[in-house]
């Protein structure tokens, strides 16, 4: 039997225990896994799973130091004490399974370095895309491809809000409030709606896709707070939908660009059809072409499916008899190369200003003659070529003008916009959204 300790018995911890206590009809290796301890904060809280009371403890330190435990499953969330407990568990020679994207995105370098030195695995399938298998496919099944780009809808809350804004035509703030009432958004929704959660996840995917570490601070994150019903309506008229995309791509010269921002997605692209709380990850590689992984990005059962698959992978590899001593001696050779994360160099990051993108911009202007001409001149002087420019109507006494550009340099676009913003005729620029 392989004994495991679980840190956390909330949504994901409960789902994990439920699978482990009910192994019949699932993979036969599950029957060699035994839950030795489960750590929680409040011992008296009613639980949805029936565990013998002596298994549940508030002493999480005792779990990570327990000599009987081989695998520590961290499903408590947050940075501390999760980080310290994981490092201590690694120090005591435990393999780690975690669902904690925020922790891995910010402290992955420290954790993976410690794990490689100790000859143990850190597995994180549940950290991105909930139940969707994407981490192991990137490491294994897709690993022979030269990956050019990974594009994800990897935050269920924002996709739910944008989908409802598209279907119902409502405003962001009203739909966010309703999503909070229905449990689709947290009381403090910042991490989701400002793109930070998606930023954590795409940093992890980028690191796997391109084989280099990513500093979380280098990931550009722009959320959906500024998207208005009027932008959704324009997108619809132009045959697009607005999605919060997380994009990791290799750009000219070999550097990597990793970013999260709202994006106009053409209605006929597969990602445009991903609605509600669902997640999808589109991987583009050579020679495979495009593969889209789609499924439930959160929830107890879905996320636990990913957690338990990681436990099984370690149990399976452990049966290959690789000793920790061999692994410490030579982690690249001894640790199972398809499970471990061995890259130690940082990726060279491409600044946003070096990218080329197409933009949708909405201006509110004074209703005076010649504004469209001035916009055209300013864009032209900064080498920004325009695909369409339309005056669509009025918001109060302000004329509304919508511009869609061709693919242009982000730096040129920014300087054009800085000049346009200072024109007397321009009242404000409420929306700037990239077009896929
Ligand atoms: P949760 O429902 O809030 O559960 C957290 C659990 O950890 C609770 O059992 C809590 O104990 C325990 N805990 C938290 N802090 C603790 C502390 N300081 N000491 C002892 N116990 C502590 O969280 P969750 O939704 O299951 O999420 C867990 C992790 O999975 C997070 O990293 C999250 O990002 C990730 N994840 C979640 C989902 C999802 O659908 N929920 C999907 C993908 C990834 P008590 O029960 O006693 O309060």
């Amino acid at each position: 039997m392989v004994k495991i300790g679980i840190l956390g018995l909330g949504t994901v911890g409960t789902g994990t225990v439920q699978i482990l206590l009910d192994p019949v009809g699932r993979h036969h290796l599950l029957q060699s896994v035994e839950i030795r301890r489960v750590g929680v904060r409040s011992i008296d809280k009613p639980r949805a799973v029936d565990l013998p009371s002596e298994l549940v403890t508030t002493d999480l330190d005792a779990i990570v130091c327990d000599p009987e435990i081989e695998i520590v499953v961290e499903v408590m969330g947050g940075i501390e004490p999760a980080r310290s407990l994981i490092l201590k568990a690694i120090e005591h020679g435990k393999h780690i399974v975690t669902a904690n994207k925020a922790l891995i995105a910010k402290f992955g370098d420290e954790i993976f370095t410690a794990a490689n030195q100790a000859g143990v695995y850190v597995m994180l399938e549940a950290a991105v895309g909930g139940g969707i298998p994407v981490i192991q496919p990137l490491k294994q099944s897709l690993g022979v491809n030269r990956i050019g780009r990974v594009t994800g809808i990897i935050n269920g809350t924002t996709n739910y809000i944008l989908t409802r804004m598209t279907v119902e035509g409502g405003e962001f703030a009203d739909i966010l409030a309703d999503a909070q009432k229905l449990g689709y958004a947290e009381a403090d929704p910042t991490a989701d709606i400002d793109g930070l959660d998606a930023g954590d996840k795409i940093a992890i995917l980028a690191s796997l896709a391109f084989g280099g570490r990513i500093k979380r601070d280098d990931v550009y994150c722009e959320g959906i707070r500024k998207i208005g019903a009027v932008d959704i309506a324009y997108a619809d008229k132009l045959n697009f939908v607005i999605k919060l995309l997380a994009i990791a791509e290799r750009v000219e010269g070999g550097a990597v660009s990793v970013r999260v921002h709202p994006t106009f997605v053409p209605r006929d692209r597969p990602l445009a059809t991903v609605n509600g709380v669902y997640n999808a990850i589109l991987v583009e590689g050579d020679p495979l072409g495009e593969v889209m992984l789609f499924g439930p990005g959160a929830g107890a059962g879905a996320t636990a499916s990913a957690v338990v698959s990681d436990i099984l992978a370690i149990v399976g590899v452990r049966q290959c008899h690789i000793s920790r001593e061999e692994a410490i001696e030579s982690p690249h050779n001894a640790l199972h190369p398809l499970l471990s994360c061995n890259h130690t160099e940082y990726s060279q990051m491409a600044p946003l200003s070096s990218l080329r993108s197409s933009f949708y911009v909405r201006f509110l202007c004074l209703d005076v003659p010649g504004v469209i001409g001035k916009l055209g001149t300013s864009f032209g002087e900064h080498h920004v070529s325009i695909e369409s420019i339309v005056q669509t109507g009025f918001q109060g006494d302000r004329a509304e003008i919508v511009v869609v550009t061709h693919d242009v340099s982000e730096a040129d676009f920014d300087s054009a916009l800085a000049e346009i913003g200072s024109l007397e005729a321009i009242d404000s620029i409420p929306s700037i959204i990239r077009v896929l």
Side-chain angles (χ1 to χ4, degrees):
M1 297 301 283
V2 179
K3 293 185 179 143
I4 68 166
I6 303 178
L7 309 178
L9 190 55
T11 305
V12 182
T14 301
T16 300
V17 169
Q18 278 167 338
I19 296 178
L20 291 171
L21 293 183
D22 179 24
V24 177
R26 311 184 199 274
H27 198 291
H28 67 94
L29 274 183
L30 273 184
Q31 302 189 22
S32 3
V33 179
E34 180 185 324
I35 302 171
R36 180 163 158 87
R37 300 307 287 279
V38 180
V40 297
R41 190 164 25 204
S42 341
I43 203 89
D44 299 325
K45 213 189 234 184
R47 305 285 169 184
V49 278
D50 203 10
L51 279 170
S53 60
E54 66 275 13
L55 290 195
V56 183
T57 176
T58 53
D59 187 356
L60 277 64
D61 236 46
I63 297 181
V64 298
C65 300
D66 185 336
E68 297 264 315
I69 287 175
E70 289 186 50
I71 303 174
V72 167
V73 180
E74 185 276 304
V75 281
M76 59 193 293
I79 302 297
E80 284 296 351
R83 170 180 158 273
S84 303
L85 287 164
I86 285 180
L87 289 171
K88 197 171 219 183
I90 290 172
E91 203 181 301
H92 283 79
K94 322 288 182 213
H95 301 292
I96 306 294
V97 172
T98 179
N100 197 333
K101 57 258 172 176
L103 179 64
I104 293 296
K106 291 179 188 75
F107 293 98
D109 51 357
E110 183 185 25
I111 289 171
F112 286 115
T113 301
N116 287 342
Q117 282 165 4
V120 297
Y121 297 111
V122 175
M123 304 288 283
L124 56 142
E125 186 60 80
V128 183
I132 305 172
V134 60
I135 303 289
Q136 282 313 103
L138 275 177
K139 282 189 199 165
Q140 298 183 16
S141 338
L142 302 173
V144 298
N145 287 272
R146 199 167 291 131
I147 307 283
R149 189 185 296 124
V150 178
T151 312
I153 293 174
I154 44 181
N155 180 270
T157 303
T158 44
N159 203 43
Y160 172 84
I161 293 172
L162 290 174
T163 302
R164 279 194 53 189
M165 287 176 77
T166 303
V167 173
E168 298 167 22
E171 282 298 349
F172 168 75
D174 301 331
I175 291 180
L176 169 63
D178 200 44
Q180 286 172 311
K181 261 190 238 149
L182 295 169
Y184 290 114
E186 307 261 349
D188 176 1
T190 314
D192 292 319
I193 63 177
D194 288 340
L196 308 177
D197 172 78
D200 289 340
K201 294 168 176 169
I202 196 68
I204 294 172
L205 294 183
S207 155
L208 289 165
F210 303 122
R213 291 182 174 178
I214 303 289
K215 292 199 182 99
R216 177 60 182 84
D217 287 347
D218 289 342
V219 179
Y220 171 80
C221 291
E222 180 187 322
I224 64 165
R225 280 180 203 268
K226 289 194 206 146
I227 306 286
V230 61
D231 300 309
I232 300 273
Y234 283 133
D236 187 54
K237 265 191 211 155
L238 298 166
N239 228 4
F240 290 90
V241 288
I242 301 181
K243 295 286 181 194
L244 183 69
L245 293 191
I247 302 169
E249 68 183 331
R250 201 174 280 290
V251 298
E252 259 180 47
V256 169
S257 163
V258 187
R259 56 196 195 271
V260 176
H261 51 68
T263 311
F264 272 40
V265 180
R267 204 182 276 290
D268 58 359
R269 296 287 289 269
L271 284 168
T273 64
V274 177
N275 287 322
V277 294
Y278 279 94
N279 281 197
I281 298 116
L282 179 73
V283 182
E284 294 166 62
D286 174 57
L288 182 67
E290 294 190 352
V291 169
M292 190 161 101
L293 306 158
F294 167 85
T303 312
S305 155
V307 168
V308 181
S309 76
D310 278 348
I311 299 173
L312 273 199
I314 297 173
V315 173
V317 166
R318 182 184 158 280
Q319 295 194 345
C320 297
H321 305 298
I322 297 169
S323 76
R324 280 190 52 229
E325 289 67 30
E326 279 174 289
I328 293 166
E329 195 63 35
S330 171
H332 292 267
N333 300 329
L335 271 181
H336 196 297
L338 295 180
L339 294 189
S340 62
C341 175
N342 281 323
H343 44 257
T344 50
E345 302 296 322
Y346 280 90
S347 296
Q348 186 203 340
M349 300 293 287
L352 208 55
S353 59
S354 70
L355 301 182
R356 291 186 71 76
S357 307
S358 161
F359 288 89
Y360 152 96
V361 200
R362 184 162 58 89
F363 298 95
L364 291 180
C365 314
L366 306 186
D367 188 22
V368 292
V371 181
I372 288 188
K374 283 181 185 154
L375 284 177
T377 307
S378 290
F379 275 130
E381 280 171 357
H382 292 274
H383 317 291
V384 173
S385 80
I386 292 174
E387 184 177 312
S388 72
I389 181 163
V390 216
Q391 176 163 352
T392 48
F394 285 87
Q395 298 273 342
D397 59 351
R398 297 292 182 243
E400 194 165 44
I401 295 176
V402 167
V403 172
V404 178
T405 74
H406 285 292
D407 257 8
V408 297
S409 131
E410 293 239 1
D412 288 344
F413 179 78
D414 285 349
S415 49
L417 224 56
E419 182 177 304
I420 291 168
S422 66
L423 294 177
E424 241 173 69
I426 302 298
D427 175 79
S428 60
I429 309 175
S431 308
I432 305 164
I433 303 175
R434 289 171 183 79
V435 179
L436 190 68

